[in-house]
Amino acid sequence: MNNEKILIVGGVAGGASTAARLRRLNEKAQIIMFEKGEYISFANCGLPYYIGGEIKEKEKLTLQTPESFKKRFNIDVRIFNEVISIDRNEKKVKVKNIKTNEIYEESYDKLVLSPGAEPFKPNIEGIDSNLVFTLRNIPDTYKIKDYIEKNNCKKAIVVGGGYIGIEMAENLYNLGLDVTVVEMQNQIIAPLDFDMACEVQRYMESKGIKLMLESSLKKVTQIENTLEATINEDKLTADILILAIGVRPESKIAKEAGLELNERGAIIVSDNMLTSDKDIYAVGDAVEIVDFVSKEKAIIPLAGPANKQGRIVADNICGIESKYTGTQGSAILKVFDMTVATTGINEKMAKKLNLNYDKIFTFSSNHASYYPNSENMSIKTIFEKETGKILGAQIVGFEGTDKRCDVLATAIRFGATAKDLTRLELCYAPPYSSAKDPVNMVGFAIENIINNKVRNFHWEDIEQLQQNKDIILLDTRTEKEYNNGHIKGFINIPLDELRENLDKIDKTKKVYITCQIGLRGYIGYRILAQNGYECYNLSGGYRLYNSIYNETKTDTNSACVNPK
């Protein structure tokens, strides 16, 4: 094992972490890392922030150089060298030196594939215009930034409302550009459910970003230094267009070598990251993984999992039993001052898998409400009905959002239930949290459901309830709150006056209660239930409902359309 020759294809997250771990475990191995580009171990996730000026120095984007990697780890790093084929029988690869066009061979004992994923480009007219850009690597980044600066760009179109698209939209806006985001689905940020995405969309629009949902790019026409993009039936002009509609595994050499791929072109690997060839491993965005929660096969391109997989491969090559236990999909996104975080499965996936799940919406202050500048965060939690086991969470908020999602991600990884959340002893001081942390509150709210202390209904039920004349719709907010906006059909009895007005509520009818965020509704529920009423509480309250259904809901280009 000590003198093995190990070749690594790809020098970014998965490849670089494999190489570094290999050397730490085996000082004698011959390790060669091939990278067809100029840079290794660069910060993919930081690229939009260099374009927007948040990261000002180019050097900050490269975590290692070929020279520093050689000096510290004694690894032969060959940039501008592309592995173009694999001969599995002879255990050799064919390599092309991109600068000289020289083609040569290297033998291997073990081969590690970390080719990553490439941006998807639709086959539409004009897509190859030099005003259309994709963002994958450092040269792409320099190209976009230089073009904007040299041409004094004023208007940009970003096609795709995923993580990269939203980050690009923010950073282009910060450069002073007028930005429109075009997204085919009825929401941005696919890992979020529709109801959580609406709050992000309203916030983006309030900042000046235009959103076109349920819209697709049909054609690009270049007119000198501007372009005309046909979006559905509309035509938009811009100085630059960024394509961010997703990526696909760059697995051509694996396919040509006869390695097993899935229907989407991802390399199939075992839990120790071994391909269908016993001497070839694969890691990163090009591989198929198992979703940790659903146990379904999936492709989830994230930097954290790629780095972990690289370490696992190195361990296995060096004789240390190590397995990858699945990708949880924990991810976080900065949207101006807002933070959007997700972990585990969303409701869309729970429905697709036909799970016996439930959901809860909670709104909690990021720190003690009496301490200055507290702000609510919106939390949606998916859980098993019978056990209260946490399956997924989505949080939209500001300061403190990241740490709450990290706690919930940890809970999911260790199979925690709602009861476990109630028992967590988390750090508290007024500037940082409340005595009952938002994560504790999630546990309490779910525990109340499981223990039959409350029965909920949800925003999507309201339209049908409004047609039912044999129920009572009750808003327990103050008269002032009610008059500032309420859900059609709900009568107002403020919570603090509820006990004195029970005679006004027909006990033969079911009562559906709302308040602002669900807390006063829960208290009202407990009052009514203990007085013999059959009742239900609106999870998330009027705040959630209004973030979905407001006065812009009939505008087809608005932030929230077609919620069903």
Side-chain angles (χ1 to χ4, degrees):
M1 182 189 76
N2 280 347
N3 296 315
E4 275 192 318
K5 184 177 180 182
I6 303 159
L7 305 185
I8 300 173
V9 181
V12 192
S17 65
T18 302
R21 176 69 170 171
L22 277 170
R23 179 56 77 218
R24 291 194 296 270
L25 295 176
N26 186 345
E27 184 63 21
K28 302 298 183 182
Q30 182 184 359
I31 305 170
I32 305 173
M33 186 164 71
F34 302 97
E35 171 54 52
K36 67 180 178 180
E38 181 180 356
Y39 301 93
I40 65 163
S41 192
F42 61 85
N44 296 71
C45 301
L47 300 182
Y49 299 101
Y50 176 75
I51 292 171
E54 193 75 19
I55 298 172
K56 302 188 183 301
E57 301 170 34
K58 289 182 178 180
E59 297 75 21
K60 298 289 187 183
L61 294 175
T62 49
L63 308 178
Q64 293 279 355
T65 65
E67 296 75 21
S68 68
F69 223 59
K70 173 68 175 176
K71 189 172 183 178
R72 176 161 295 181
F73 296 108
N74 190 28
I75 289 169
D76 182 358
V77 179
R78 302 181 188 177
I79 59 173
F80 295 119
N81 277 251
E82 180 181 6
V83 174
I84 56 176
S85 66
I86 304 167
D87 185 336
R88 292 167 55 196
N89 293 325
E90 296 293 323
K91 295 183 70 173
K92 292 179 180 179
V93 299
K94 193 172 287 186
V95 187
K96 179 180 180 180
N97 184 313
I98 293 172
K99 284 197 166 183
T100 66
N101 287 323
E102 173 198 2
I103 294 178
Y104 63 96
E105 291 184 337
E106 286 285 357
S107 63
Y108 65 84
D109 293 308
K110 299 294 181 185
L111 177 63
V112 182
L113 303 179
S114 181
E118 58 185 345
F120 179 76
K121 290 182 73 172
N123 184 24
I124 62 173
E125 184 180 342
I127 201 67
D128 293 323
S129 164
N130 61 6
L131 306 185
V132 176
F133 298 82
T134 58
L135 180 62
R136 181 190 183 186
N137 52 36
I138 289 179
D140 293 341
T141 308
Y142 295 163
K143 191 176 176 183
I144 293 170
K145 190 172 179 67
D146 290 346
Y147 185 85
I148 291 171
E149 291 175 350
K150 288 177 181 176
N151 293 276
N152 193 27
C153 294
K154 300 295 184 185
K155 293 178 69 177
I157 297 171
V158 177
V159 181
Y163 289 114
I164 295 296
I166 299 306
E167 287 174 346
M168 280 302 305
E170 176 190 346
N171 281 283
L172 292 172
Y173 184 86
N174 289 340
L175 285 177
L177 277 71
D178 182 298
V179 181
T180 300
V181 175
V182 178
E183 169 55 49
M184 288 184 66
Q185 303 303 317
N186 67 342
Q187 65 166 86
I188 61 171
I189 315 175
L192 291 180
D193 287 318
F194 175 84
D195 38 33
M196 295 298 285
C198 282
E199 186 169 350
V200 186
Q201 291 161 184
R202 303 241 182 262
Y203 180 75
M204 288 186 69
E205 288 190 326
S206 75
K207 291 292 185 179
I209 303 290
K210 301 177 184 70
L211 299 178
M212 295 183 67
L213 304 178
E214 297 183 325
S215 301
S216 58
L217 178 66
K218 302 293 187 183
K219 178 182 175 182
V220 176
T221 305
Q222 183 172 338
I223 308 167
E224 296 182 351
N225 288 330
T226 62
L227 60 82
E228 181 182 80
T230 303
I231 313 294
N232 292 347
E233 305 304 321
D234 300 321
K235 297 185 185 299
L236 273 67
T237 59
D239 303 305
I240 185 172
L241 185 148
I242 307 293
L243 274 180
I245 56 176
V247 295
R248 56 187 171 195
E250 194 166 346
S251 55
K252 180 182 177 184
I253 61 169
K255 180 179 181 180
E256 291 174 349
L259 295 178
E260 190 176 354
L261 309 182
N262 70 10
E263 66 281 356
R264 294 174 59 190
I267 304 168
I268 295 175
V269 294
S270 66
D271 56 7
N272 58 12
M273 308 311 298
L274 194 63
T275 69
S276 52
D277 186 304
K278 66 181 178 59
D279 294 312
I280 303 177
Y281 294 83
V283 300
D285 296 353
V287 306
E288 177 187 80
I289 55 84
V290 174
D291 184 288
F292 177 77
V293 177
S294 70
K295 307 307 177 187
E296 297 284 304
K297 302 289 188 179
I299 304 173
I300 305 177
L302 292 170
N307 277 278
K308 293 179 181 69
Q309 291 161 8
R311 181 183 177 92
I312 288 166
V313 165
D315 284 354
N316 281 293
I317 289 174
C318 293
I320 301 170
E321 179 68 17
S322 187
K323 296 183 182 296
Y324 188 65
T325 56
T327 299
Q328 199 169 311
S330 298
I332 195 163
L333 175 67
K334 174 183 177 295
V335 185
F336 295 98
D337 295 326
M338 178 178 273
T339 301
V340 180
T342 68
T343 186
I345 63 170
N346 57 26
E347 187 177 5
K348 288 176 284 194
M349 179 57 71
K351 283 181 177 177
K352 181 180 177 182
L353 297 173
N354 199 29
L355 299 181
N356 188 22
Y357 77 96
D358 204 345
K359 60 186 175 183
I360 187 75
F361 297 90
T362 54
F363 299 94
S364 301
S365 293
N366 58 341
H367 59 244
S369 57
Y370 59 81
Y371 189 86
N373 303 316
S374 69
E375 293 178 288
N376 266 358
M377 60 182 71
S378 308
I379 306 176
K380 179 177 182 177
T381 309
I382 309 297
F383 61 95
E384 281 184 352
K385 273 189 177 180
E386 300 92 344
T387 66
K389 181 181 178 182
I390 309 302
L391 303 176
Q394 303 159 48
I395 310 182
V396 175
F398 296 88
E399 184 181 345
T401 296
D402 53 343
K403 71 176 182 179
R404 273 49 182 241
C405 198
D406 282 341
V407 173
L408 288 166
T410 305
I412 291 170
R413 179 59 65 163
F414 292 109
T417 66
K419 184 172 284 295
D420 295 318
L421 298 188
T422 69
R423 294 167 174 170
L424 289 178
E425 186 175 334
L426 302 172
C427 297
Y428 162 63
Y432 301 103
S433 184
S434 300
K436 294 177 182 177
D437 188 85
V439 174
N440 296 136
M441 294 303 295
V442 169
F444 294 140
I446 295 173
E447 196 175 47
N448 283 336
I449 295 172
I450 292 173
N451 293 336
N452 296 315
K453 299 303 180 188
V454 69
R455 288 185 289 184
N456 285 339
F457 69 106
H458 296 284
W459 61 268
E460 63 267 31
D461 302 323
I462 290 176
E463 185 176 351
Q464 184 174 355
L465 292 172
Q466 288 168 329
Q467 310 305 314
N468 190 342
K469 304 301 182 184
D470 296 322
I471 61 172
I472 295 171
L473 303 176
L474 175 64
D475 189 324
T476 61
R477 295 176 300 156
T478 65
E479 185 178 354
K480 182 178 180 181
E481 288 175 295
Y482 180 83
N483 290 335
N484 282 338
H486 60 270
I487 305 171
K488 182 180 178 181
F490 279 73
I491 63 170
N492 180 223
I493 302 177
L495 176 64
D496 293 344
E497 302 171 17
L498 184 57
R499 290 183 180 88
E500 291 74 39
N501 286 280
L502 293 179
D503 60 317
K504 297 179 181 176
I505 303 173
D506 188 345
K507 194 172 286 189
T508 65
K509 295 184 176 182
K510 297 177 183 178
V511 183
Y512 291 81
I513 312 166
T514 189
C515 63
Q516 187 64 17
I517 63 172
L519 179 57
R520 282 175 288 176
Y522 165 64
I523 298 170
Y525 176 101
R526 295 304 303 156
I527 292 171
L528 292 175
Q530 292 178 82
N531 277 280
Y533 292 85
E534 182 180 347
C535 46
Y536 302 83
N537 183 38
L538 177 61
S539 185
Y542 178 76
R543 184 186 190 278
L544 175 66
Y545 181 88
N546 192 49
S547 76
I548 300 166
Y549 296 103
N550 70 359
E551 64 275 5
T552 64
K553 68 180 179 181
T554 57
D555 181 353
T556 57
N557 287 332
S558 74
C560 293
V561 294
N562 295 343
K564 293 189 176 178

